[in-house]
Amino acid sequence: MVAVVGGGQLARMMAPAATALGVHLRVLVEGPASSAAQVVPDSVVGSASDVGAVRALVTGVPGADVLTFEHEHVPNDLLEQLVAEGHPVHPAAHALVHAQDKIVMRQRLTALGVPCPRWAPLPDAAALQRFLDEAGGAVVVKTARGGYDGKGVRVVTRTDEVADWLDALGDGGVPLLAEEKVPFVRELAVMVGRRPSGEVRAWPVVESVQEGGVCSEVVAPAPDLDATVAQEATALAVQVAQGLDVTGVLAVELFEVRDPDGGSRVLVNELAMRPHNTGHWTIDGAVTSQFEQHLRAVLDLPLGATRARAPWSVMVNVLGSRHADLADALPAVAALDADAKVHLYGKEVRPGRKLGHVTVTGDDLADVRARARAAAAVLRGEEPAGRPAAATASTATSGGAA
Amino acid sequence: MVAVVGGGQLARMMAPAATALGVHLRVLVEGPASSAAQVVPDSVVGSASDVGAVRALVTGVPGADVLTFEHEHVPNDLLEQLVAEGHPVHPAAHALVHAQDKIVMRQRLTALGVPCPRWAPLPDAAALQRFLDEAGGAVVVKTARGGYDGKGVRVVTRTDEVADWLDALGDGGVPLLAEEKVPFVRELAVMVGRRPSGEVRAWPVVESVQEGGVCSEVVAPAPDLDATVAQEATALAVQVAQGLDVTGVLAVELFEVRDPDGGSRVLVNELAMRPHNTGHWTIDGAVTSQFEQHLRAVLDLPLGATRARAPWSVMVNVLGSRHADLADALPAVAALDADAKVHLYGKEVRPGRKLGHVTVTGDDLADVRARARAAAAVLRGEEPAGRPAAATASTATSGGAA
């Protein structure tokens, strides 16, 4: 029996894995229409900061074997209290803090010798000015807590561009840090699963494409990645999982940067201690999905194989849609591609919102990517790129049984 | 929104597919602890013959786009009434009757020219004696309705071996039929999906192994199957789906019989118009699972690809267990094989009961089969075959992190 804080698509996608394993799930949701509440019979309505709701999540009937999360926004004192009362929590508060607070994360990774962008905490405007002077040009300012999907991040060249954040510091506002603006060639990510008893398994390194700070596409494995760099990235992710005592699945987002000698290396960008968008491809593309692995890991069950099931998997997010309801596009996307694996989250359409994703697997990367993008475009209510309207019309009239 | 009559493992395994497609499911269950009720938030408690319960299943909020089934034991007059009131039902009563009544099925298949075992309806003991005289030796007597998993089937050489059934005939008992005892070399099965608008897709032909009338193991594709026979079997299944106007998925169980010339051919044994045990391998072994395809088909969505994702898939049923609760065996089965895909049905353990299944996929049939059998044996609480106790103990002590 696994209790999950959060009722969004990440908790929702744990449900099929729990069904297969015969594991009872209980989810903490914002309301009865939440993405996860639609597919999990046992849910508690409440917020992650509501002590009574989280306690009900854990102590309901049946009692939870473990409490886990689909997001990091949980009060750590509550978690430590639950552990003291004998309720296992994975990941533990002492690990989770590194996904909650970017300053704590940078301090710890630096201490572990894990390569990171140059960074500094920003106690005041003067500290930012010093960092700007040293870095020369644009730097990235982040709120240490509460940011996600591009929120809480600004690229600045002058301190007055974050005057509001700096002013708030004196009033007990969110701590800030600055990071160099890394001239990366692309973004990579490594997902690993780790059990309390120590077993760790990593999936292949993937390439992730961001649009406006939001993941839009993931290619598994990362194309043309140097084998040494892939090994280095995987070893780093395992080191982080072990060094921070992460239990459950961990996403390590990386920058790949070109060295002067033409080689490349990786720097750690962000961490997430939960299933992550860069791991959605594993549902259809790997022997064990990140959702099944997360359940296995937090229950301290032996982990599943993380091998890819096809040479290439491409996952494309559906961010917003012209359809009133994404389900309206099911006939069109099913007609477009019998191989596309469609995942809808049951969420109301809003501009830019993560509403679903599509994964296509196969032998030819260009084909797989084009098809995943085309299917996602249909779900967004757009004409698939590179498919002229005439061809679409012709398909529709000559499609026979379709 | 799909309403499903039945709350067993077949309805349960529709849930993950519905979650991915964003399709709302409502299931008719025996009680709140039913296999499907554990994983589907929207359920109605009642029996399939309870008009009020089935009506509530269809007319709840939201209203059902279609009513479908995980078993055939539904009163057809109720289905026809619902259709008359504007509620789509798939498969329709005029198709479903062939899966409900073996005499109707044999009559229709014979009329279609589909090869079947020699058969005859049994209005009385004299008819059985004539059939015994003609067939010479043992014949199979079946109840036309209500049989499943070996129930309602007897192999007899004398009429008095079914005296109870024959006596009941006069009192309005279940009609009987006799079939020749086919000297088959093995059993095959073909699953097909068919939409109301006509599109049909078949999965590869599989071999099924039965123990005591219950499916115990399925190998996909059927090993060493002559390509012509595979084509013939697939064509027969498509012909049956079309000829009987089946909508949703259809399982066609076949006998493979050796011809005097050394070749082989197939005869239709049984039909099921729902997801079927011989299609469970498709969850992990095919691009589209039978459960997703059933939802697509009854919603008249374009069908998904039915291609196998690996050269071999072997599914082994867990029929009964020495464990008090099958979930108790999760640590052992996960430790045994990181590749085994385990599916537990959340059912109380009873001798011989279908409690779950395991699928293993891969390149080498002998390896895949041995591993699927070993994993199922662990779930049954037995020592995996061919794996001496000493070796198991040694693995357990030297397993490190496991």
Side-chain angles (χ1 to χ4, degrees), chain A residues 20 284 287 307 309 339 344, chain B residues 20 284 307 309 339 341 344:
Chain A
D284 301 299
V287 174
R307 216 171 48 252
R309 296 203 59 193
D339 278 46
L344 306 188
Chain B
D284 302 297
R307 211 169 54 251
R309 296 203 61 193
D339 277 48
K341 303 311 294 180
L344 306 189

Side-chain angles (χ1 to χ4, degrees), chain A residues 8-10 30 70-74 99-102 105 140-154 165 174-175 177 187 210-215 253 269-277 317 319 347 350-355:
Chain A
Q9 67 266 21
L10 300 179
E30 289 183 1
E70 69 146 18
H71 62 68
E72 296 87 1
H73 313 299
V74 194
Q100 293 168 326
D101 190 309
K102 295 187 205 306
M105 183 264 279
V140 183
V141 179
K142 295 180 175 179
T143 57
R145 292 175 162 266
Y148 68 97
D149 279 355
K151 294 178 182 66
V153 176
R154 286 187 203 161
W165 289 356
V174 186
L177 69 160
E187 294 189 63
Q210 316 284 319
E211 281 177 20
V214 181
C215 174
E253 295 184 273
N269 178 20
E270 302 276 4
L271 304 181
M273 294 181 193
R274 50 170 172 78
H276 188 258
N277 208 153
N317 271 346
L319 303 169
K347 289 157 74 174
R350 282 187 222 146
R353 194 181 200 193
K354 285 182 181 174
L355 301 169

Side-chain angles (χ1 to χ4, degrees), chain A residues 12 19-21 38-41 195 201 284 287 292 296 302 304-305 307 309 330 334-335 338-339 341-344 361, chain B residues 12 19-21 38-41 201 284 287 292 296 302 304-305 307 309 330-331 334-335 338-339 341-344 401:
Chain A
R12 178 189 178 97
T19 295
L21 293 177
Q38 294 168 24
V39 302
V40 177
R195 311 166 56 186
R201 286 183 187 254
D284 301 299
V287 174
E292 178 178 340
R296 292 166 81 129
R307 216 171 48 252
R309 296 203 59 193
L330 273 182
D339 278 46
K341 302 312 293 180
V342 172
H343 299 264
L344 306 188
T361 60
Chain B
R12 177 188 177 97
T19 295
L21 293 176
Q38 294 168 23
V39 303
V40 177
R201 288 183 185 253
D284 302 297
V287 175
E292 177 177 342
R296 291 166 81 130
R307 211 169 54 251
R309 296 203 61 193
L330 274 181
D339 277 48
K341 303 311 294 180
V342 172
H343 299 263
L344 306 189

Side-chain angles (χ1 to χ4, degrees), chain A residues 106-130:
Chain A
R106 286 293 177 219
Q107 284 168 334
R108 180 78 184 127
L109 293 187
T110 304
L112 284 171
V114 170
C116 292
R118 184 147 53 121
W119 75 281
L122 297 181
D124 50 33
L128 175 53
Q129 190 56 57
R130 275 196 303 277

